[in-house]
Amino acid sequence: MKQLGQILTDRGSKYAVSGCPASDRAAVDAALKELKRDKSYAKATHNTWAVLLSDGGPLKGDDGESGAGMVIIRMLEREGLEDHLIVVTRWYGGKHLGGDRFRNVQSCVRAYLDAA
């Protein structure tokens, strides 16, 4: 799994982004398991993820960050990127971010797509 590490910090919350090819749910589960072998990712508040499967449509996991998986799906659809898992990790910093959390997810996904 390609990890770009910490992308941004907002009011104490830290965000990182990771991703890898994934063509089915088993590959997604294996990639998430691999990511969480890193203790800092396993202890993160949220590991939000999404993938567009070429033979199964979109899959997402909000991991408590309601709506964030859909943000990733929309960006994958705009890019036309199928069979590629993107995970945005957030370590909660103690302050609620409201709608800014979606902008932060978008910034992380954009950084990942630009680096690919």
Side-chain angles (χ1 to χ4, degrees):
M1 177 167 285
K2 179 178 174 182
Q3 294 179 350
L4 296 188
Q6 187 175 323
I7 300 296
L8 63 93
T9 303
D10 183 358
R11 289 167 271 179
S13 286
K14 294 181 180 117
Y15 287 83
V17 65
S18 312
C20 66
S23 57
D24 58 26
R25 181 61 199 241
V28 169
D29 291 341
L32 292 170
K33 186 175 180 182
E34 176 192 333
L35 180 68
K36 290 177 184 177
R37 278 194 196 114
D38 181 322
K39 282 192 173 109
S40 66
Y41 285 86
K43 290 180 179 178
T45 315
H46 309 286
N47 282 294
T48 303
W49 59 270
V51 61
L52 292 176
L53 299 178
S54 55
D55 65 347
L59 288 177
K60 67 178 175 68
D62 289 336
D63 193 23
E65 189 80 289
S66 185
M70 200 63 214
V71 171
I72 302 170
I73 285 175
R74 283 196 294 268
M75 292 184 77
L76 290 171
E77 287 172 342
R78 277 198 296 273
E79 292 289 319
L81 183 58
E82 292 185 327
D83 296 331
H84 201 94
L85 171 69
I86 295 183
V87 182
V88 176
T89 302
R90 176 182 178 193
W91 292 270
Y92 182 65
K95 291 202 170 102
H96 291 288
L97 303 180
D100 288 345
R101 69 185 198 270
F102 299 119
R103 281 187 283 285
N104 294 340
V105 168
Q106 287 175 330
S107 296
C108 289
V109 174
R110 176 55 42 213
Y112 183 87
L113 294 171
D114 289 349

mmCIF file of all heavy atoms in Angstrom, residues 17-56:
data_model
loop_
_atom_site.group_PDB
_atom_site.id
_atom_site.type_symbol
_atom_site.label_atom_id
_atom_site.label_comp_id
_atom_site.label_asym_id
_atom_site.label_seq_id
_atom_site.Cartn_x
_atom_site.Cartn_y
_atom_site.Cartn_z
ATOM 1 N N VAL A 17 -3.163 10.038 3.861
ATOM 2 C CA VAL A 17 -3.845 9.326 2.774
ATOM 3 C C VAL A 17 -2.970 8.173 2.297
ATOM 4 O O VAL A 17 -1.748 8.275 2.293
ATOM 5 C CB VAL A 17 -4.222 10.289 1.613
ATOM 6 C CG1 VAL A 17 -2.978 10.862 0.952
ATOM 7 C CG2 VAL A 17 -5.126 9.622 0.596
ATOM 8 N N SER A 18 -3.625 7.074 1.930
ATOM 9 C CA SER A 18 -2.957 5.872 1.443
ATOM 10 C C SER A 18 -3.806 5.291 0.320
ATOM 11 O O SER A 18 -4.986 5.625 0.186
ATOM 12 C CB SER A 18 -2.839 4.820 2.551
ATOM 13 O OG SER A 18 -2.349 5.380 3.743
ATOM 14 N N GLY A 19 -3.229 4.381 -0.446
ATOM 15 C CA GLY A 19 -4.012 3.729 -1.494
ATOM 16 C C GLY A 19 -3.245 2.603 -2.159
ATOM 17 O O GLY A 19 -2.032 2.478 -1.997
ATOM 18 N N CYS A 20 -3.991 1.790 -2.913
ATOM 19 C CA CYS A 20 -3.393 0.680 -3.647
ATOM 20 C C CYS A 20 -4.433 0.101 -4.607
ATOM 21 O O CYS A 20 -5.628 0.341 -4.460
ATOM 22 C CB CYS A 20 -2.911 -0.406 -2.691
ATOM 23 S SG CYS A 20 -4.237 -1.226 -1.799
ATOM 24 N N PRO A 21 -3.976 -0.669 -5.596
ATOM 25 C CA PRO A 21 -4.932 -1.357 -6.466
ATOM 26 C C PRO A 21 -5.759 -2.355 -5.648
ATOM 27 O O PRO A 21 -5.257 -2.983 -4.723
ATOM 28 C CB PRO A 21 -4.043 -2.095 -7.471
ATOM 29 C CG PRO A 21 -2.734 -1.383 -7.433
ATOM 30 C CD PRO A 21 -2.591 -0.878 -6.018
ATOM 31 N N ALA A 22 -7.047 -2.460 -5.981
ATOM 32 C CA ALA A 22 -7.946 -3.414 -5.324
ATOM 33 C C ALA A 22 -9.084 -3.718 -6.282
ATOM 34 O O ALA A 22 -9.834 -2.819 -6.651
ATOM 35 C CB ALA A 22 -8.487 -2.846 -4.021
ATOM 36 N N SER A 23 -9.208 -4.976 -6.698
ATOM 37 C CA SER A 23 -10.216 -5.323 -7.706
ATOM 38 C C SER A 23 -11.421 -6.056 -7.133
ATOM 39 O O SER A 23 -12.354 -6.365 -7.859
ATOM 40 C CB SER A 23 -9.575 -6.162 -8.809
ATOM 41 O OG SER A 23 -8.979 -7.315 -8.253
ATOM 42 N N ASP A 24 -11.401 -6.351 -5.808
ATOM 43 C CA ASP A 24 -12.559 -6.994 -5.188
ATOM 44 C C ASP A 24 -12.548 -6.721 -3.681
ATOM 45 O O ASP A 24 -11.592 -6.150 -3.152
ATOM 46 C CB ASP A 24 -12.599 -8.497 -5.475
ATOM 47 C CG ASP A 24 -11.354 -9.229 -5.014
ATOM 48 O OD1 ASP A 24 -10.670 -8.765 -4.077
ATOM 49 O OD2 ASP A 24 -11.048 -10.287 -5.591
ATOM 50 N N ARG A 25 -13.619 -7.127 -3.012
ATOM 51 C CA ARG A 25 -13.751 -6.838 -1.581
ATOM 52 C C ARG A 25 -12.649 -7.509 -0.765
ATOM 53 O O ARG A 25 -12.159 -6.944 0.217
ATOM 54 C CB ARG A 25 -15.142 -7.295 -1.093
ATOM 55 C CG ARG A 25 -15.408 -7.021 0.371
ATOM 56 C CD ARG A 25 -15.343 -5.519 0.654
ATOM 57 N NE ARG A 25 -15.153 -5.210 2.060
ATOM 58 C CZ ARG A 25 -16.003 -4.510 2.792
ATOM 59 N NH1 ARG A 25 -17.118 -4.050 2.268
ATOM 60 N NH2 ARG A 25 -15.731 -4.264 4.045
ATOM 61 N N ALA A 26 -12.222 -8.685 -1.171
ATOM 62 C CA ALA A 26 -11.157 -9.374 -0.439
ATOM 63 C C ALA A 26 -9.858 -8.562 -0.491
ATOM 64 O O ALA A 26 -9.139 -8.466 0.512
ATOM 65 C CB ALA A 26 -10.931 -10.770 -1.022
ATOM 66 N N ALA A 27 -9.561 -7.945 -1.632
ATOM 67 C CA ALA A 27 -8.360 -7.116 -1.762
ATOM 68 C C ALA A 27 -8.469 -5.869 -0.888
ATOM 69 O O ALA A 27 -7.489 -5.424 -0.285
ATOM 70 C CB ALA A 27 -8.139 -6.732 -3.222
ATOM 71 N N VAL A 28 -9.672 -5.292 -0.810
ATOM 72 C CA VAL A 28 -9.913 -4.128 0.054
ATOM 73 C C VAL A 28 -9.653 -4.509 1.508
ATOM 74 O O VAL A 28 -8.916 -3.818 2.228
ATOM 75 C CB VAL A 28 -11.359 -3.599 -0.127
ATOM 76 C CG1 VAL A 28 -11.695 -2.577 0.954
ATOM 77 C CG2 VAL A 28 -11.550 -3.009 -1.515
ATOM 78 N N ASP A 29 -10.248 -5.612 1.944
ATOM 79 C CA ASP A 29 -10.087 -6.057 3.330
ATOM 80 C C ASP A 29 -8.621 -6.338 3.658
ATOM 81 O O ASP A 29 -8.133 -5.979 4.734
ATOM 82 C CB ASP A 29 -10.940 -7.292 3.603
ATOM 83 C CG ASP A 29 -12.438 -6.975 3.586
ATOM 84 O OD1 ASP A 29 -12.803 -5.788 3.719
ATOM 85 O OD2 ASP A 29 -13.233 -7.931 3.438
ATOM 86 N N ALA A 30 -7.907 -6.959 2.719
ATOM 87 C CA ALA A 30 -6.490 -7.265 2.939
ATOM 88 C C ALA A 30 -5.667 -5.978 3.042
ATOM 89 O O ALA A 30 -4.775 -5.867 3.897
ATOM 90 C CB ALA A 30 -5.960 -8.140 1.801
ATOM 91 N N ALA A 31 -5.971 -5.000 2.204
ATOM 92 C CA ALA A 31 -5.237 -3.731 2.223
ATOM 93 C C ALA A 31 -5.490 -2.971 3.529
ATOM 94 O O ALA A 31 -4.564 -2.417 4.127
ATOM 95 C CB ALA A 31 -5.626 -2.869 1.024
ATOM 96 N N LEU A 32 -6.743 -2.956 3.991
ATOM 97 C CA LEU A 32 -7.062 -2.281 5.246
ATOM 98 C C LEU A 32 -6.369 -2.964 6.424
ATOM 99 O O LEU A 32 -5.852 -2.298 7.329
ATOM 100 C CB LEU A 32 -8.576 -2.239 5.468
ATOM 101 C CG LEU A 32 -9.358 -1.342 4.500
ATOM 102 C CD1 LEU A 32 -10.855 -1.572 4.651
ATOM 103 C CD2 LEU A 32 -9.001 0.124 4.703
ATOM 104 N N LYS A 33 -6.323 -4.287 6.380
ATOM 105 C CA LYS A 33 -5.647 -5.047 7.432
ATOM 106 C C LYS A 33 -4.153 -4.721 7.440
ATOM 107 O O LYS A 33 -3.547 -4.524 8.495
ATOM 108 C CB LYS A 33 -5.879 -6.545 7.212
ATOM 109 C CG LYS A 33 -5.356 -7.418 8.314
ATOM 110 C CD LYS A 33 -5.733 -8.870 8.084
ATOM 111 C CE LYS A 33 -5.204 -9.753 9.185
ATOM 112 N NZ LYS A 33 -5.510 -11.161 8.961
ATOM 113 N N GLU A 34 -3.561 -4.639 6.247
ATOM 114 C CA GLU A 34 -2.133 -4.305 6.133
ATOM 115 C C GLU A 34 -1.869 -2.902 6.695
ATOM 116 O O GLU A 34 -0.913 -2.690 7.439
ATOM 117 C CB GLU A 34 -1.701 -4.371 4.666
ATOM 118 C CG GLU A 34 -0.259 -3.947 4.439
ATOM 119 C CD GLU A 34 0.078 -3.740 2.977
ATOM 120 O OE1 GLU A 34 -0.558 -4.366 2.107
ATOM 121 O OE2 GLU A 34 0.982 -2.935 2.699
ATOM 122 N N LEU A 35 -2.726 -1.937 6.338
ATOM 123 C CA LEU A 35 -2.555 -0.560 6.807
ATOM 124 C C LEU A 35 -2.603 -0.502 8.335
ATOM 125 O O LEU A 35 -1.792 0.173 8.970
ATOM 126 C CB LEU A 35 -3.647 0.344 6.212
ATOM 127 C CG LEU A 35 -3.591 1.814 6.605
ATOM 128 C CD1 LEU A 35 -2.363 2.491 5.997
ATOM 129 C CD2 LEU A 35 -4.854 2.537 6.172
ATOM 130 N N LYS A 36 -3.541 -1.250 8.919
ATOM 131 C CA LYS A 36 -3.729 -1.199 10.366
ATOM 132 C C LYS A 36 -2.673 -1.999 11.131
ATOM 133 O O LYS A 36 -2.650 -1.968 12.360
ATOM 134 C CB LYS A 36 -5.138 -1.652 10.733
ATOM 135 C CG LYS A 36 -6.183 -0.624 10.295
ATOM 136 C CD LYS A 36 -7.585 -1.085 10.584
ATOM 137 C CE LYS A 36 -8.594 -0.086 10.056
ATOM 138 N NZ LYS A 36 -9.957 -0.543 10.258
ATOM 139 N N ARG A 37 -1.775 -2.682 10.414
ATOM 140 C CA ARG A 37 -0.639 -3.309 11.096
ATOM 141 C C ARG A 37 0.279 -2.235 11.659
ATOM 142 O O ARG A 37 1.005 -2.467 12.611
ATOM 143 C CB ARG A 37 0.141 -4.205 10.129
ATOM 144 C CG ARG A 37 -0.486 -5.556 9.977
ATOM 145 C CD ARG A 37 0.464 -6.548 9.310
ATOM 146 N NE ARG A 37 -0.311 -7.675 8.852
ATOM 147 C CZ ARG A 37 -0.494 -8.011 7.582
ATOM 148 N NH1 ARG A 37 0.070 -7.315 6.624
ATOM 149 N NH2 ARG A 37 -1.232 -9.043 7.260
ATOM 150 N N ASP A 38 0.260 -1.067 11.030
ATOM 151 C CA ASP A 38 0.986 0.096 11.548
ATOM 152 C C ASP A 38 0.170 0.623 12.733
ATOM 153 O O ASP A 38 -0.974 1.037 12.565
ATOM 154 C CB ASP A 38 1.109 1.157 10.450
ATOM 155 C CG ASP A 38 1.881 2.385 10.899
ATOM 156 O OD1 ASP A 38 1.724 2.816 12.070
ATOM 157 O OD2 ASP A 38 2.621 2.940 10.074
ATOM 158 N N LYS A 39 0.760 0.599 13.926
ATOM 159 C CA LYS A 39 0.010 0.943 15.139
ATOM 160 C C LYS A 39 -0.625 2.328 15.076
ATOM 161 O O LYS A 39 -1.719 2.537 15.578
ATOM 162 C CB LYS A 39 0.914 0.839 16.365
ATOM 163 C CG LYS A 39 1.118 -0.587 16.813
ATOM 164 C CD LYS A 39 1.770 -0.628 18.181
ATOM 165 C CE LYS A 39 1.803 -2.045 18.684
ATOM 166 N NZ LYS A 39 3.105 -2.642 18.712
ATOM 167 N N SER A 40 0.058 3.294 14.461
ATOM 168 C CA SER A 40 -0.508 4.647 14.429
ATOM 169 C C SER A 40 -1.790 4.679 13.597
ATOM 170 O O SER A 40 -2.740 5.380 13.944
ATOM 171 C CB SER A 40 0.510 5.664 13.906
ATOM 172 O OG SER A 40 0.821 5.426 12.558
ATOM 173 N N TYR A 41 -1.852 3.887 12.529
ATOM 174 C CA TYR A 41 -3.072 3.827 11.720
ATOM 175 C C TYR A 41 -4.153 3.021 12.436
ATOM 176 O O TYR A 41 -5.330 3.334 12.345
ATOM 177 C CB TYR A 41 -2.781 3.247 10.333
ATOM 178 C CG TYR A 41 -2.072 4.242 9.441
ATOM 179 C CD1 TYR A 41 -0.690 4.372 9.478
ATOM 180 C CD2 TYR A 41 -2.779 5.063 8.576
ATOM 181 C CE1 TYR A 41 -0.031 5.294 8.678
ATOM 182 C CE2 TYR A 41 -2.146 5.982 7.773
ATOM 183 C CZ TYR A 41 -0.767 6.098 7.831
ATOM 184 O OH TYR A 41 -0.129 7.022 7.037
ATOM 185 N N ALA A 42 -3.752 1.995 13.144
ATOM 186 C CA ALA A 42 -4.723 1.186 13.892
ATOM 187 C C ALA A 42 -5.380 2.015 14.994
ATOM 188 O O ALA A 42 -6.550 1.806 15.314
ATOM 189 C CB ALA A 42 -4.033 -0.040 14.485
ATOM 190 N N LYS A 43 -4.635 2.968 15.571
ATOM 191 C CA LYS A 43 -5.164 3.797 16.651
ATOM 192 C C LYS A 43 -5.868 5.055 16.145
ATOM 193 O O LYS A 43 -6.376 5.834 16.947
ATOM 194 C CB LYS A 43 -4.029 4.202 17.591
ATOM 195 C CG LYS A 43 -3.484 3.042 18.403
ATOM 196 C CD LYS A 43 -2.368 3.522 19.318
ATOM 197 C CE LYS A 43 -1.827 2.371 20.142
ATOM 198 N NZ LYS A 43 -0.729 2.780 21.005
ATOM 199 N N ALA A 44 -5.878 5.277 14.838
ATOM 200 C CA ALA A 44 -6.516 6.477 14.279
ATOM 201 C C ALA A 44 -8.009 6.484 14.607
ATOM 202 O O ALA A 44 -8.636 5.437 14.757
ATOM 203 C CB ALA A 44 -6.317 6.525 12.766
ATOM 204 N N THR A 45 -8.567 7.683 14.680
ATOM 205 C CA THR A 45 -9.989 7.828 14.972
ATOM 206 C C THR A 45 -10.838 7.311 13.818
ATOM 207 O O THR A 45 -11.846 6.650 14.032
ATOM 208 C CB THR A 45 -10.326 9.312 15.230
ATOM 209 O OG1 THR A 45 -9.329 9.865 16.085
ATOM 210 C CG2 THR A 45 -11.686 9.458 15.885
ATOM 211 N N HIS A 46 -10.422 7.618 12.582
ATOM 212 C CA HIS A 46 -11.170 7.208 11.391
ATOM 213 C C HIS A 46 -10.207 6.761 10.292
ATOM 214 O O HIS A 46 -9.225 7.443 10.021
ATOM 215 C CB HIS A 46 -12.005 8.367 10.820
ATOM 216 C CG HIS A 46 -12.861 9.062 11.820
ATOM 217 N ND1 HIS A 46 -14.014 8.501 12.326
ATOM 218 C CD2 HIS A 46 -12.744 10.272 12.403
ATOM 219 C CE1 HIS A 46 -14.566 9.349 13.185
ATOM 220 N NE2 HIS A 46 -13.806 10.430 13.258
ATOM 221 N N ASN A 47 -10.519 5.638 9.661
ATOM 222 C CA ASN A 47 -9.875 5.203 8.426
ATOM 223 C C ASN A 47 -10.998 5.082 7.393
ATOM 224 O O ASN A 47 -11.589 4.025 7.216
ATOM 225 C CB ASN A 47 -9.137 3.867 8.600
ATOM 226 C CG ASN A 47 -7.814 4.041 9.303
ATOM 227 O OD1 ASN A 47 -6.907 4.665 8.777
ATOM 228 N ND2 ASN A 47 -7.707 3.504 10.509
ATOM 229 N N THR A 48 -11.307 6.193 6.747
ATOM 230 C CA THR A 48 -12.388 6.247 5.766
ATOM 231 C C THR A 48 -11.836 5.788 4.424
ATOM 232 O O THR A 48 -10.742 6.195 4.037
ATOM 233 C CB THR A 48 -12.893 7.702 5.647
ATOM 234 O OG1 THR A 48 -13.303 8.151 6.938
ATOM 235 C CG2 THR A 48 -14.049 7.803 4.696
ATOM 236 N N TRP A 49 -12.594 4.966 3.712
ATOM 237 C CA TRP A 49 -12.077 4.436 2.450
ATOM 238 C C TRP A 49 -13.170 4.311 1.399
ATOM 239 O O TRP A 49 -14.364 4.319 1.712
ATOM 240 C CB TRP A 49 -11.413 3.076 2.674
ATOM 241 C CG TRP A 49 -12.345 2.045 3.253
ATOM 242 C CD1 TRP A 49 -12.559 1.799 4.576
ATOM 243 C CD2 TRP A 49 -13.214 1.157 2.539
ATOM 244 N NE1 TRP A 49 -13.498 0.802 4.723
ATOM 245 C CE2 TRP A 49 -13.920 0.391 3.488
ATOM 246 C CE3 TRP A 49 -13.454 0.934 1.184
ATOM 247 C CZ2 TRP A 49 -14.846 -0.582 3.132
ATOM 248 C CZ3 TRP A 49 -14.373 -0.035 0.827
ATOM 249 C CH2 TRP A 49 -15.055 -0.780 1.790
ATOM 250 N N ALA A 50 -12.724 4.192 0.147
ATOM 251 C CA ALA A 50 -13.656 3.947 -0.962
ATOM 252 C C ALA A 50 -12.893 3.373 -2.146
ATOM 253 O O ALA A 50 -11.692 3.597 -2.307
ATOM 254 C CB ALA A 50 -14.365 5.229 -1.368
ATOM 255 N N VAL A 51 -13.642 2.642 -2.976
ATOM 256 C CA VAL A 51 -13.099 2.057 -4.200
ATOM 257 C C VAL A 51 -14.246 1.907 -5.195
ATOM 258 O O VAL A 51 -15.389 1.673 -4.810
ATOM 259 C CB VAL A 51 -12.429 0.678 -3.914
ATOM 260 C CG1 VAL A 51 -13.436 -0.314 -3.349
ATOM 261 C CG2 VAL A 51 -11.742 0.105 -5.141
ATOM 262 N N LEU A 52 -13.948 2.091 -6.482
ATOM 263 C CA LEU A 52 -14.916 1.803 -7.554
ATOM 264 C C LEU A 52 -14.482 0.502 -8.207
ATOM 265 O O LEU A 52 -13.452 0.472 -8.891
ATOM 266 C CB LEU A 52 -14.912 2.917 -8.617
ATOM 267 C CG LEU A 52 -15.432 4.285 -8.217
ATOM 268 C CD1 LEU A 52 -15.249 5.270 -9.367
ATOM 269 C CD2 LEU A 52 -16.883 4.208 -7.816
ATOM 270 N N LEU A 53 -15.225 -0.565 -7.978
ATOM 271 C CA LEU A 53 -14.872 -1.859 -8.564
ATOM 272 C C LEU A 53 -15.419 -1.936 -9.980
ATOM 273 O O LEU A 53 -16.597 -1.648 -10.212
ATOM 274 C CB LEU A 53 -15.431 -2.996 -7.709
ATOM 275 C CG LEU A 53 -14.920 -3.060 -6.273
ATOM 276 C CD1 LEU A 53 -15.592 -4.196 -5.521
ATOM 277 C CD2 LEU A 53 -13.406 -3.210 -6.243
ATOM 278 N N SER A 54 -14.574 -2.331 -10.922
ATOM 279 C CA SER A 54 -15.000 -2.380 -12.326
ATOM 280 C C SER A 54 -16.122 -3.385 -12.545
ATOM 281 O O SER A 54 -16.930 -3.217 -13.444
ATOM 282 C CB SER A 54 -13.810 -2.690 -13.239
ATOM 283 O OG SER A 54 -13.175 -3.884 -12.831
ATOM 284 N N ASP A 55 -16.190 -4.422 -11.694
ATOM 285 C CA ASP A 55 -17.260 -5.413 -11.864
ATOM 286 C C ASP A 55 -18.217 -5.457 -10.682
ATOM 287 O O ASP A 55 -18.968 -6.410 -10.517
ATOM 288 C CB ASP A 55 -16.666 -6.801 -12.129
ATOM 289 C CG ASP A 55 -15.884 -7.332 -10.944
ATOM 290 O OD1 ASP A 55 -15.596 -6.549 -10.019
ATOM 291 O OD2 ASP A 55 -15.563 -8.526 -10.946
ATOM 292 N N GLY A 56 -18.203 -4.416 -9.819
ATOM 293 C CA GLY A 56 -19.097 -4.465 -8.668
ATOM 294 C C GLY A 56 -19.580 -3.113 -8.201
ATOM 295 O O GLY A 56 -20.303 -3.030 -7.214
#
